Amino acid sequence: MVDLVTKIEVIQNETLLISYLSKVGLENITAFLIGFSSVAEKANLTQDQVDTVKKTLLAVELKQLQSRFSTYAEQEWKVLFENHFKVLIQYFNQTLLQLLPINISCASYQAIVKGFSLGFNTLNNATKRDIYNYFIKIYLANRASSGEVACDTVSYDSWLTLNFGKFTIEATYEELSIFNKNLTKLDNAATLTPTNLADFTITADLINNATLTTITINKVKQFRSLIELSEYVVKLQSYVCSNSSSPSDTTLCASSGILQNSNKSAIFLAVSEVLMKYWNSSSQQEWLENFRIIVNMFSLEMTELTISQLPKDITCDTAKGIISSMNSSFGLFTSNIQKAAYQYLLGYHKKNQMDCDKAGDLQLFITTYFEASSALISPGDLISLIPSEKLSTKLNSLEPQDLVYYLQPETNKNVTLWSTILSHYSNISKLGKVWDLLNIKMVESSLFEIVFKIVWPTFVSSSGSIDDSEIYDWFNVRFNSAIKFITLEQLNITTVINANCTFYQALVQTLSRHYGDYSNKTQQDIYNVLKMYLQSGDKPKCYREGNDSWMYDNLNVYLTYCSAGDLMSFSNETMLQQFSVDNKTLNLIKTLTLQEDLKVYYAQLLTTQDPNLPLTIIPQNILCYAIANLNIGNIAGNEALTTLSLLKTCNYSSSATEDINAVSSLLSSLPVITSNDITSLGPLAVGLPTSTILENINGSILVQSISALSSVSGWSVTQASAIVSKIINSKYEITAENLKHLGSLVIGLSSSNISTLNSTNILQLAADSKFTTYMEQAPVTLKQRFVMKIIQGTYIKTIFETVPANLASEIPASNLLISSFNISLINQMKWTPSQAQVFFKTVLTQVTDYSTLSSNILQGFTCGAAHDLNDDQFVSLIKSMTGKSVSLESSQLNCLAKRLTKNGAPTDYSSYPSDVLLYIGPYTEPSVCQDYFTRVGKANINLLAQGSGIALLNSARTCLKIESADTITKANLQILGNLVCDLTDQEIIKSDSFILEALKSCSSFTDLQKQAILQKLTTTYGASSSWTVSTMKQIGSLSSILDSSTFNLINKDVKRQFLPGFLTSMKMKYKTVFTTVLKQLKARSSTRAAADCEELTTDLIAKQRDYIVVTYTATQLDACLSNVTLRDNLDTLGSLAFYDDQLNVLKKKLDTVYPTSLAEEYLIQLGNIAPMYSIQEISRWSITQVDTLAALLNSASWNTNDSKIDALVKQYLSTPNVTFDGTSLTILAPYICGLNETLIGQIPYIVFRKSSQPLDITLCTQSKKDLLFSKMKAAYSSSQKTLSCSNAYYQIMKTVIGGAKSEDIQCFATAYPDMDLSTFTGLNPAEVKMITAENIKDLLGNNFVDLNTISSSAVIQAWLSVNTQVEINKLGLNVTSGVTETMPNGFIVFNPVTQTSGVSSHSFVYLLYLCALTTILNVNVFFL
């Protein structure tokens, strides 16, 4: 069947189509249509063809049923239209509608209408109109003719629904009025009730009749009371909310669709107008009820205007009622309406100043009076809502979760508002919960920063009121992510500085966890605050008895920024020592990069507290500084190797002798040392004891290790000598290239090694800057021999090009006697003052711009050399020394000052060096004196003659207006500078504490000054019994003034750690002071028992050094120093300043170790022990090298005229093929007086020309002086004609001038040498007798004016004894001649008489004067 009706020919043949479709039964319509649709799609039927089939089917079925319609009841119609015809409704037309009966019951009719309504949405407009016009309208008109209401129902709305369904829109008001006569009441106001008007409102909306709607709305506006409005809206609500389970179901009511939107808005406006009109004339409750119903129905029609028209003069109850009415509808409002409603409420409560909050509960108030609109409360609104005076009270009534809700962290970013709210939320416990809640909501780091900044002050100020566990919760949990935002401004506040210890320590730990989050600047800022905290109050602050983790708890990783001085300011040193060994702190320090001074200080604390600490627990960065004071003497073998491996990273400088020496004991404990060990040691190899090198290391191992050893800096000569000798003895060839490979070991070469090199090799080495840099550090013998070899292979005029600039000091004076120099070359060379003095005059003849001269040349200044300069040139020369650190001796300064001031002191004093100002002042004018003394204070006052410093100081006192009773301020002390060295004891006591720092530059003190300094030290640092190592370091060089009783009071461990380094420093800088300190220290130990001593080990010797001198008596040395330890440490022990009794003990022990004789390699280690040997013992020594002779002489404290020196030299000369040469004379120069005349006589003249060191003949006998002068004169006889008693010749001969003959002295006078007085007094008095007064004037030059100061000297006395008063008067000496003169004729001699009585001596002088004057006047008249 389906296939047949889809054929085109069937569809186009109506008769055939009807015949086929008539066979489809009513119950099969749905199945047929399903099958038809499928087949039609496959047959590609058009929509018109499909519609033709379906329309024909509907017509066929209606015609077949028509005869049975009269029997149909409501149910049959329902089934027919809702089931069978359901999909064919759209095909009804006028013709087919007329097939439906109109004489059926209302129920049957309504069933058909419902069926049509179900298919309403499938109908086109024409079909809708047809159904209404040709079925509904006809049926209802027929029914209305018999009554007032066609098919009446229980209500008007149900009547419309049942009888019109969705076709109401097709009906006109007139037609409805015909079908329902009740609608005519709208025109009869007398009978129209508000309820009727509600019905008409619905009808007008349903039929979409604008006129009717307008009439209805106008009627509403005419309501005369809220009662009428109430009846209307209640009835209207019954329609609008008919689909709701409850009229209060706002959502369903507001969106029910009963009223069309346009009509609904108009109705809403009308009822709103009426409602507002009767605000003042109705009860509040009645008005609110109407408002509630209206909002219930018209939520979607609410406008901002409507909200704005709500009454303003309301009560709290009304406000509550209004929001309650809107509450259920609030979600339906647009955002603008919601805001308008919220602003209405906010405005009211702001104006009302929250008077409605009777309970004092902000959240209850908001819940009650804002309900759903509370979601719109912003932080700003919350603040504006609450009166400022109530802000804290109201906000603190909120629970944390409510406060967080109002902060709106997800959307609000207003820092100011958050700050205001959170800063007034002062309950710290609640604030903690707020933070916890915010911590969950905040996703942006910027919010953490904002909240932290706000909360921090409240937390800090409340920290004292919360328990410890909550403080830790704040720091460890709450602030864990936000503490990284902390700033200096947040930390550097009084509440933090004054916080309790729990707060502070929790802060430190949290800041330490986030250390890496901060910039370097912030880390420094944080530390500065921690520093302020710890420096306030008791020290150490926040210390709990028994808890030594103080540094860990209170500084933690911020120790990184702590200086030694800072740490000292936090606690007394005793406590710091205790803290330093804490395991937690030590483990922390292992991870930190500490400041250098703190490393040093921490090491000091550590080792003072426990010098026996296991090395494994000491942090690597501290071990480097602690090793020097740790007891490691018992460490050996593999443990020693492990320790050395740790120390390799220390990067000790070559000057860090204390630390390097500490390594010695570790190295000496190794039984065997391989080349791998040496390579592994790196820079620590410098700690190899000489004895270990000589006895434990094979020469071949050293050869293999040259690369490693040559790069090590800091070798001593004895170490280097031991290494090099073993290397060379292992067949290491001496060539230029091989010597270069020695690197820093070059200083260990012997002079004989250099002697074997040819000129080519020598010049090759001289051109190698690295080699010559190392050579500069070598002993004088090696340097001198090297330079002489260079000179031997060089033409005299080019030696300044070939001799390295840094070795120029070894060029003999004889090579400097040339007529001209390449100034640019010699300017760069390192000259000694005596060398520069030789050629200084020659330089002055070549140079006019003295500012180009180097300090090395300018130090050769002598007045004699500058004699020929005019005044301007002389001034220019002296000024050129300014700013160049030119070191001049007092004799040079004294002379130049006399010439500078011969016409008065120069006015431009600031152009001269400070040392010169010592001699050309003082300048006392108020306008310049302070500047002058500031400059003088920087000068070396040791250059002044005794008493001159005091005179300058007196002038400075006047300038600075310092009275005897005054305290000298720090500012004035800084101006005085080195002049403070002459302050009186009382001035020292009264001075500012800075005086202690200022006095450290002084080289010596009087006894009274020492007492004053000690008093000042006690005032500043407390009793000496309380002094720590740090105290001693602060006292520094002033420790030299301490007497034995003071030393006795200082803690033993403090002295043990401080004094070794201090003594070494004093020994290098101030030998006299060093000796004095030793005496004071030794005074306390002389009575100690022999058994009362610790065994001396290599470790102890390396660390204690000269302190051993005072801690071990001779008896104790004998008892506590083993022979093996002596042998292993001979080099060190020989260098110590032992007293003779102690040295004798060492010598006797050595005799036991070496019973026959000492090998040469050990002789160079003897040092101060050497003078203990007798001449007979010395005669058994093997001194084959000039280097050995030099080591024996230079490393011991010989008296320069000691006969043992003669024995040493003889022993050296006894070596085959050894004779005097320039090198040997160079090292003998200071000791030349120790040689006997026979030995001196054996020195060839030519050797004197090859020595680079001036001879010191001060302690020689006159005969030796004469001999040495004659030798020197003979040495330069070949140059005599050229020199011709020149200034250069004088400078060369000056050191031996004590042996000069009178003719030599007169020769020197002809060159105007400006001889200084000390040289003059060193002349042979017997020879001086034979020179004239003019000779003396010419010799002294500018120094002549000071001649009276030496009038009592042997030289002057000898000269006086042979010269007349006339000659004496020429020199201006205030002395009487020793020679009686015969007076010429005509002279009257007055013999002095002794006064007895009568005329006074004054009258006698007056008469004598009168007689002389008369005689002169008579003579004048005669000649006129």
Side-chain angles (χ1 to χ4, degrees):
M1 176 67 72
V2 172
D3 294 335
L4 291 174
V5 299
T6 57
K7 296 182 181 295
I8 299 300
E9 60 273 18
V10 173
I11 295 173
Q12 293 177 346
N13 188 329
E14 183 179 359
T15 302
L16 185 58
L17 180 60
I18 290 173
S19 66
Y20 285 137
L21 292 176
S22 63
K23 294 176 182 179
V24 179
L26 185 64
E27 65 281 1
N28 296 322
I29 289 177
T30 302
F32 171 78
L33 289 174
I34 293 172
F36 172 72
S37 296
S38 176
V39 176
E41 184 177 356
K42 293 178 181 178
N44 293 321
L45 295 183
T46 65
Q47 188 60 47
D48 287 342
Q49 291 169 335
V50 171
D51 289 342
T52 298
V53 173
K54 291 182 177 181
K55 190 183 299 181
T56 302
L57 176 61
L58 178 59
V60 168
E61 294 297 334
L62 281 172
K63 288 178 181 179
Q64 289 179 349
L65 292 173
Q66 190 174 17
S67 60
R68 289 188 284 168
F69 284 165
S70 59
T71 63
Y72 271 29
E74 177 184 358
Q75 185 60 32
E76 282 84 4
W77 288 108
K78 177 178 176 65
V79 172
L80 181 63
F81 274 85
E82 292 184 19
N83 292 337
H84 302 316
F85 286 171
K86 181 179 180 181
V87 295
L88 296 174
I89 293 296
Q90 59 183 308
Y91 296 105
F92 272 97
N93 55 27
Q94 179 181 347
T95 302
L96 295 178
L97 287 167
Q98 290 175 349
L99 295 176
L100 295 175
I102 60 172
N103 57 347
I104 56 178
S105 68
C106 286
S108 295
Y109 163 76
Q110 290 168 351
I112 294 171
V113 170
K114 184 176 181 182
F116 281 135
S117 293
L118 290 174
F120 188 80
N121 292 333
T122 66
L123 305 178
N124 57 38
N125 291 335
T127 302
K128 292 175 183 177
R129 286 193 296 273
D130 284 348
I131 291 173
Y132 174 72
N133 288 324
Y134 298 110
F135 177 67
I136 295 175
K137 180 179 177 182
I138 292 173
Y139 178 83
L140 290 176
N142 183 53
R143 296 291 293 186
S145 62
S146 59
E148 290 191 353
V149 180
C151 294
D152 199 4
T153 61
V154 295
S155 64
Y156 182 68
D157 58 326
S158 62
W159 179 80
L160 287 172
T161 301
L162 292 174
N163 292 303
F164 290 88
K166 293 186 177 181
F167 297 92
T168 306
I169 59 174
E170 301 298 329
T172 66
Y173 172 65
E174 291 76 10
E175 289 170 341
L176 290 174
S177 298
I178 293 172
F179 304 150
N180 190 331
K181 301 296 191 294
N182 289 331
L183 289 175
T184 59
K185 294 179 180 179
L186 184 61
D187 298 322
N188 186 358
T191 60
L192 183 65
T193 65
T195 303
N196 295 143
L197 188 57
D199 292 336
F200 291 140
T201 300
I202 296 300
T203 300
D205 182 74
L206 287 173
I207 64 176
N208 198 22
N209 189 299
T211 303
L212 182 58
T213 298
T214 301
I215 294 171
T216 302
I217 289 172
N218 288 334
K219 293 291 185 182
V220 169
K221 292 179 179 179
Q222 294 171 10
F223 285 155
R224 291 166 294 184
S225 69
L226 285 184
I227 295 175
E228 290 183 353
L229 178 63
S230 179
E231 291 176 4
Y232 173 76
V233 295
V234 168
K235 178 62 177 177
L236 191 62
Q237 184 185 36
S238 68
Y239 285 119
V240 173
C241 301
S242 59
N243 293 329
S244 304
S245 58
S246 168
S248 61
D249 188 342
T250 304
T251 302
L252 291 176
C253 290
S255 58
S256 66
I258 298 300
L259 293 173
Q260 295 184 46
N261 290 339
S262 57
N263 294 336
K264 196 172 182 181
S265 295
I267 296 167
F268 168 68
L269 291 174
V271 296
S272 295
E273 182 181 326
V274 175
L275 181 68
M276 300 307 171
K277 181 169 64 177
Y278 293 111
W279 160 250
N280 291 321
S281 59
S282 60
S283 71
Q284 175 180 289
Q285 190 58 40
E286 186 178 19
W287 189 92
L288 285 173
E289 180 59 24
N290 277 281
F291 181 72
R292 183 191 63 76
I293 295 172
I294 292 171
V295 172
N296 180 250
M297 288 188 291
F298 299 105
S299 297
L300 299 177
E301 282 66 46
M302 294 284 282
T303 66
E304 294 175 64
L305 178 63
T306 309
I307 300 298
S308 68
Q309 293 174 343
L310 289 173
K312 307 296 188 294
D313 53 336
I314 57 176
T315 65
C316 292
D317 288 340
T318 303
K320 180 179 178 182
I322 289 174
I323 187 56
S324 295
S325 299
M326 291 191 291
N327 196 54
S328 59
S329 305
F330 203 76
L332 300 176
F333 293 166
T334 65
S335 60
N336 288 339
I337 305 304
Q338 288 179 341
K339 289 177 184 177
Y342 165 69
Q343 289 297 332
Y344 167 74
L345 295 168
L346 182 66
Y348 167 72
H349 290 296
K350 283 169 66 175
K351 181 180 178 182
N352 198 31
Q353 295 197 324
M354 285 185 64
D355 281 348
C356 298
D357 179 21
K358 306 301 183 185
D361 186 330
L362 181 58
Q363 184 54 41
L364 177 62
F365 165 76
I366 292 173
T367 302
T368 303
Y369 290 97
F370 284 87
E371 295 199 35
S373 70
S374 64
L376 299 179
I377 297 179
S378 69
D381 291 341
L382 189 66
I383 294 170
S384 66
L385 175 65
I386 306 170
S388 58
E389 68 275 8
K390 300 179 182 178
L391 196 56
S392 291
T393 304
K394 297 294 183 184
L395 288 175
N396 279 288
S397 71
L398 289 175
E399 290 301 313
Q401 65 270 21
D402 295 325
L403 184 73
V404 171
Y405 175 81
Y406 296 123
L407 285 175
Q408 301 172 358
E410 295 88 348
T411 57
N412 179 60
K413 303 293 189 302
N414 191 312
V415 179
T416 304
L417 298 178
W418 279 46
S419 177
T420 302
I421 293 173
L422 290 174
S423 62
H424 283 83
Y425 201 63
S426 56
N427 185 309
I428 193 63
S429 296
K430 284 187 175 182
L431 191 58
K433 293 176 182 177
V434 167
W435 182 279
D436 295 339
L437 292 167
L438 287 173
N439 207 24
I440 298 171
K441 294 176 176 288
M442 293 186 296
V443 293
E444 297 180 28
S445 61
S446 59
L447 289 180
F448 280 106
E449 185 174 4
I450 292 168
V451 177
F452 177 74
K453 183 176 182 180
I454 298 166
V455 170
W456 176 256
T458 303
F459 167 66
V460 173
S461 61
S462 305
S463 61
S465 62
I466 56 179
D467 59 36
D468 293 356
S469 62
E470 190 168 356
I471 286 179
Y472 283 108
D473 282 345
W474 272 98
F475 278 116
N476 296 336
V477 181
R478 290 172 182 145
F479 287 161
N480 191 49
S481 297
I483 198 76
K484 61 185 177 184
F485 300 114
I486 203 160
T487 64
L488 177 61
E489 291 71 24
Q490 292 166 325
L491 280 174
N492 192 15
I493 53 178
T494 304
T495 44
V496 170
I497 304 302
N498 296 331
N500 62 42
C501 291
T502 300
F503 172 92
Y504 172 78
Q505 291 178 343
L507 171 65
V508 170
Q509 299 307 309
T510 305
L511 291 172
S512 296
R513 286 198 303 274
H514 289 274
Y515 183 80
D517 294 332
Y518 306 126
S519 66
N520 291 342
K521 182 181 183 305
T522 301
Q523 290 170 356
Q524 181 68 65
D525 289 343
I526 290 172
Y527 170 72
N528 289 339
V529 173
L530 304 186
K531 176 180 172 181
M532 281 191 285
Y533 182 89
L534 294 175
Q535 287 178 335
S536 63
D538 297 334
K539 312 285 178 61
K541 196 166 184 178
C542 297
Y543 171 65
R544 298 190 302 277
E545 189 70 34
N547 180 15
D548 290 340
S549 300
W550 185 88
M551 292 187 214
Y552 181 90
D553 294 338
N554 295 284
L555 286 165
N556 209 281
V557 295
Y558 293 93
L559 270 168
T560 301
Y561 288 91
C562 183
S563 69
D566 291 346
L567 196 58
M568 292 178 202
S569 71
F570 300 152
S571 173
N572 65 69
E573 194 151 311
T574 302
M575 294 301 295
L576 289 175
Q577 291 168 7
Q578 187 175 318
F579 301 152
S580 69
V581 296
D582 171 66
N583 284 331
K584 283 174 70 176
T585 305
L586 288 171
N587 288 329
L588 169 68
I589 286 178
K590 289 177 182 178
T591 67
L592 304 181
T593 303
L594 301 179
Q595 296 186 34
E596 287 302 304
D597 69 330
L598 183 59
K599 291 179 189 176
V600 174
Y601 182 54
Y602 197 94
Q604 171 194 306
L605 295 172
L606 203 68
T607 54
T608 304
Q609 180 68 13
D610 187 359
N612 297 306
L613 275 175
L615 300 185
T616 52
I617 73 168
I618 300 176
Q620 176 68 38
N621 52 355
I622 300 300
L623 181 61
C624 298
Y625 301 89
I627 195 71
N629 292 301
L630 287 170
N631 293 335
I632 57 174
N634 59 342
I635 296 177
N638 290 333
E639 188 179 357
L641 285 173
T642 302
T643 304
L644 289 167
S645 179
L646 291 173
L647 295 175
K648 274 169 53 180
T649 61
C650 294
N651 295 322
Y652 291 126
S653 68
S654 58
S655 61
T657 52
E658 290 181 29
D659 303 303
I660 296 298
N661 288 334
V663 178
S664 297
S665 66
L666 296 172
L667 292 169
S668 64
S669 71
L670 302 178
V672 178
I673 297 178
T674 66
S675 59
N676 287 337
D677 292 334
I678 293 173
T679 302
S680 177
L681 282 172
L684 294 183
V686 75
L688 282 167
T690 304
S691 59
T692 300
I693 296 169
L694 290 172
E695 298 177 18
N696 293 1
I697 307 178
N698 186 279
S700 61
I701 297 296
L702 294 172
V703 172
Q704 294 172 33
S705 307
I706 285 178
S707 178
L709 294 169
S710 63
S711 61
V712 174
S713 60
W715 294 114
S716 71
V717 173
T718 52
Q719 286 175 303
S721 296
I723 293 171
V724 171
S725 65
K726 295 195 80 168
I727 286 175
I728 291 175
N729 289 336
S730 297
K731 298 182 180 180
Y732 187 78
E733 189 177 357
I734 301 175
T735 65
E737 285 304 315
N738 280 349
L739 294 189
K740 289 179 186 177
H741 292 156
L742 289 178
S744 58
L745 293 172
V746 162
I747 64 172
L749 286 166
S750 69
S751 301
S752 59
N753 297 146
I754 292 296
S755 297
T756 62
L757 294 171
N758 59 36
S759 296
T760 303
N761 280 329
I762 287 291
L763 294 178
Q764 186 181 345
L765 291 172
D768 188 293
S769 61
K770 190 173 182 180
F771 179 86
T772 57
T773 299
Y774 288 126
M775 182 59 78
E776 184 180 4
Q777 302 164 34
V780 171
T781 52
L782 182 59
K783 288 192 291 186
Q784 208 273 347
R785 182 65 58 85
F786 181 60
V787 170
M788 289 307 296
K789 289 285 288 184
I790 296 172
I791 293 173
Q792 287 171 16
T794 309
Y795 181 61
I796 189 168
K797 290 189 176 180
T798 60
I799 63 171
F800 304 109
E801 297 175 10
T802 54
V803 173
N806 58 338
L807 298 178
S809 60
E810 301 310 318
I811 299 176
S814 61
N815 294 103
L816 304 177
L817 298 172
I818 57 178
S819 58
S820 65
F821 291 93
N822 182 328
I823 300 299
S824 63
L825 273 179
I826 67 168
N827 229 359
Q828 300 169 30
M829 304 183 85
K830 294 184 178 179
W831 304 107
T832 64
S834 61
Q835 286 175 309
Q837 287 170 1
V838 171
F839 60 74
F840 193 70
K841 183 160 187 173
T842 304
V843 169
L844 293 182
T845 63
Q846 290 184 243
V847 177
T848 55
D849 182 3
Y850 307 122
S851 65
T852 61
L853 297 178
S854 69
S855 58
N856 285 320
I857 291 178
L858 289 170
Q859 67 179 335
F861 167 86
T862 63
C863 283
H867 181 272
D868 296 333
L869 298 183
N870 62 40
D871 289 346
D872 289 340
Q873 290 172 321
F874 188 83
V875 166
S876 177
L877 174 62
I878 305 307
K879 287 183 176 180
S880 72
M881 300 178 187
T882 305
K884 291 184 180 178
S885 300
V886 178
S887 296
L888 298 180
E889 295 179 352
S890 56
S891 60
Q892 294 169 296
L893 292 166
N894 187 42
C895 176
L896 72 80
K898 286 181 172 60
R899 180 163 178 185
L900 277 177
T901 59
K902 67 180 181 180
N903 296 319
T907 57
D908 56 344
Y909 66 87
S910 61
S911 301
Y912 295 92
S914 296
D915 286 352
V916 173
L917 297 182
L918 289 171
Y919 289 84
I920 64 171
Y923 290 77
T924 57
E925 296 85 351
S927 61
V928 299
C929 69
Q930 185 167 314
D931 177 60
Y932 167 76
F933 285 111
T934 299
R935 295 173 186 275
V936 167
K938 298 174 182 177
N940 179 9
I941 63 166
N942 293 321
L943 296 168
L944 288 171
Q946 190 172 6
S948 298
I950 295 174
L952 271 176
L953 179 60
N954 287 334
S955 297
R957 288 189 183 101
T958 302
C959 170
L960 300 174
K961 299 178 181 178
I962 298 172
E963 302 294 337
S964 59
D966 289 347
T967 296
I968 304 180
T969 64
K970 179 178 179 179
N972 281 341
L973 290 172
Q974 289 173 321
I975 291 171
L976 290 174
N978 293 330
L979 292 177
V980 300
C981 299
D982 286 315
L983 288 175
T984 67
D985 56 326
Q986 291 304 309
E987 286 175 319
I988 290 172
I989 292 170
K990 291 179 183 178
S991 290
D992 179 89
S993 59
F994 180 75
I995 185 64
L996 294 176
E997 190 64 33
L999 289 169
K1000 289 178 182 178
S1001 64
C1002 306
S1003 59
S1004 63
F1005 302 101
T1006 65
D1007 290 342
L1008 287 176
Q1009 284 178 316
K1010 289 179 182 179
Q1011 293 171 17
I1013 294 170
L1014 180 57
Q1015 182 176 336
K1016 197 74 175 178
L1017 288 173
T1018 305
T1019 302
T1020 305
Y1021 299 110
S1024 57
S1025 58
S1026 67
W1027 291 354
T1028 64
V1029 175
S1030 296
T1031 309
M1032 296 301 294
K1033 286 182 176 179
Q1034 287 176 300
I1035 292 171
S1037 62
L1038 294 183
S1039 301
S1040 64
I1041 64 94
L1042 303 179
D1043 54 28
S1044 58
S1045 60
T1046 304
F1047 275 122
N1048 282 337
L1049 294 172
I1050 300 172
N1051 179 275
K1052 174 184 175 182
D1053 292 331
V1054 170
K1055 286 184 288 193
R1056 184 186 179 101
Q1057 193 166 151
F1058 170 75
L1059 286 174
F1062 170 72
L1063 289 172
T1064 299
S1065 175
M1066 287 295 103
K1067 190 175 184 179
M1068 293 173 62
K1069 295 179 182 177
Y1070 308 109
K1071 194 64 179 282
T1072 303
V1073 175
F1074 166 75
T1075 304
T1076 302
V1077 175
L1078 277 186
K1079 287 180 180 178
Q1080 293 296 336
L1081 288 168
K1082 195 163 179 63
R1084 70 176 186 85
S1085 61
S1086 58
T1087 59
R1088 291 172 60 188
D1092 185 21
C1093 62
E1094 179 182 356
E1095 181 184 357
L1096 279 168
T1097 62
T1098 296
D1099 180 49
L1100 197 60
I1101 292 169
K1103 291 171 181 174
Q1104 297 299 301
R1105 298 185 70 79
D1106 279 300
Y1107 190 50
I1108 296 172
V1109 174
V1110 297
T1111 53
Y1112 286 79
T1113 64
T1115 306
Q1116 289 170 325
L1117 270 180
D1118 192 28
C1120 299
L1121 175 65
S1122 71
N1123 291 343
V1124 173
T1125 303
L1126 170 60
R1127 182 200 65 193
D1128 291 346
N1129 297 276
L1130 180 57
D1131 191 13
T1132 301
L1133 291 169
S1135 68
L1136 305 184
F1138 285 118
Y1139 290 81
D1140 286 354
D1141 60 340
Q1142 295 169 308
L1143 290 170
N1144 273 316
V1145 169
L1146 299 179
K1147 189 257 181 188
K1148 288 178 182 178
K1149 285 181 174 289
L1150 279 175
D1151 289 343
T1152 304
V1153 177
Y1154 304 104
T1156 54
S1157 181
L1158 284 165
E1160 188 163 9
E1161 59 263 31
Y1162 291 103
L1163 290 178
I1164 65 175
Q1165 300 180 53
L1166 282 177
N1168 290 320
I1169 305 173
M1172 298 299 106
Y1173 286 83
S1174 67
I1175 292 176
Q1176 184 179 2
E1177 288 170 317
I1178 291 172
S1179 68
R1180 294 198 295 268
W1181 287 352
S1182 175
I1183 307 175
T1184 65
Q1185 300 284 337
V1186 69
D1187 312 272
T1188 306
L1189 178 62
L1192 285 165
L1193 290 172
N1194 296 332
S1195 60
S1197 301
W1198 299 95
N1199 292 321
T1200 56
N1201 60 349
D1202 194 324
S1203 59
K1204 292 178 182 178
I1205 295 174
D1206 188 78
L1208 288 171
V1209 176
K1210 284 179 180 177
Q1211 194 62 22
Y1212 166 63
L1213 293 174
S1214 68
T1215 304
N1217 301 318
V1218 169
T1219 59
F1220 280 112
D1221 60 10
T1223 303
S1224 56
L1225 187 57
T1226 295
I1227 60 144
L1228 285 170
Y1231 310 100
I1232 197 68
C1233 295
L1235 276 61
N1236 64 44
E1237 293 182 28
T1238 302
L1239 201 55
I1240 293 173
Q1242 293 175 11
I1243 304 174
Y1245 299 130
I1246 192 64
V1247 169
F1248 286 90
R1249 290 182 66 94
K1250 296 180 179 180
S1251 171
S1252 59
Q1253 183 77 12
L1255 299 176
D1256 181 3
I1257 66 169
T1258 308
L1259 298 179
C1260 287
T1261 62
Q1262 187 60 53
S1263 59
K1264 286 184 183 179
K1265 290 180 181 179
D1266 295 346
L1267 179 57
L1268 286 168
F1269 184 86
S1270 65
K1271 286 273 187 179
M1272 282 284 287
K1273 183 176 180 181
Y1276 286 92
S1277 61
S1278 60
S1279 306
Q1280 190 67 36
K1281 292 182 181 179
T1282 304
L1283 292 173
S1284 186
C1285 299
S1286 66
N1287 183 267
Y1289 179 59
Y1290 166 75
Q1291 296 301 337
I1292 290 174
M1293 303 297 290
K1294 183 169 62 176
T1295 59
V1296 294
I1297 204 168
K1301 300 299 181 182
S1302 60
E1303 60 267 25
D1304 295 311
I1305 298 172
Q1306 290 169 332
C1307 178
F1308 291 134
T1310 61
Y1312 307 107
D1314 281 86
M1315 181 184 288
D1316 60 87
L1317 296 182
S1318 62
T1319 302
F1320 181 76
T1321 56
L1323 295 173
N1324 185 349
E1327 298 299 326
V1328 172
K1329 286 181 179 181
M1330 292 178 272
I1331 66 174
T1332 67
E1334 289 302 322
N1335 291 151
I1336 294 174
K1337 284 184 179 181
D1338 291 341
L1339 276 174
L1340 297 179
N1342 288 300
N1343 297 314
F1344 173 74
V1345 296
D1346 292 331
L1347 191 59
N1348 269 304
T1349 63
I1350 59 168
S1351 60
S1352 60
S1353 67
V1355 171
I1356 294 296
Q1357 289 299 315
W1359 188 83
L1360 291 174
S1361 69
V1362 297
N1363 281 278
T1364 65
Q1365 191 67 46
V1366 173
E1367 287 295 299
I1368 292 171
N1369 291 343
K1370 289 179 182 179
L1371 296 180
L1373 291 171
N1374 301 320
V1375 292
T1376 303
S1377 168
V1379 177
T1380 303
E1381 294 180 274
T1382 302
M1383 298 304 297
N1385 292 331
F1387 279 76
I1388 302 173
V1389 178
F1390 294 94
N1391 293 316
V1393 296
T1394 302
Q1395 178 186 345
T1396 55
S1397 62
V1399 182
S1400 70
S1401 60
H1402 294 291
S1403 301
F1404 174 78
V1405 172
Y1406 173 74
L1407 289 172
L1408 180 62
Y1409 171 74
L1410 186 61
C1411 291
L1413 181 60
T1414 303
T1415 303
I1416 293 170
L1417 289 174
N1418 289 335
V1419 171
N1420 286 339
V1421 171
F1422 174 79
F1423 281 103
L1424 289 174

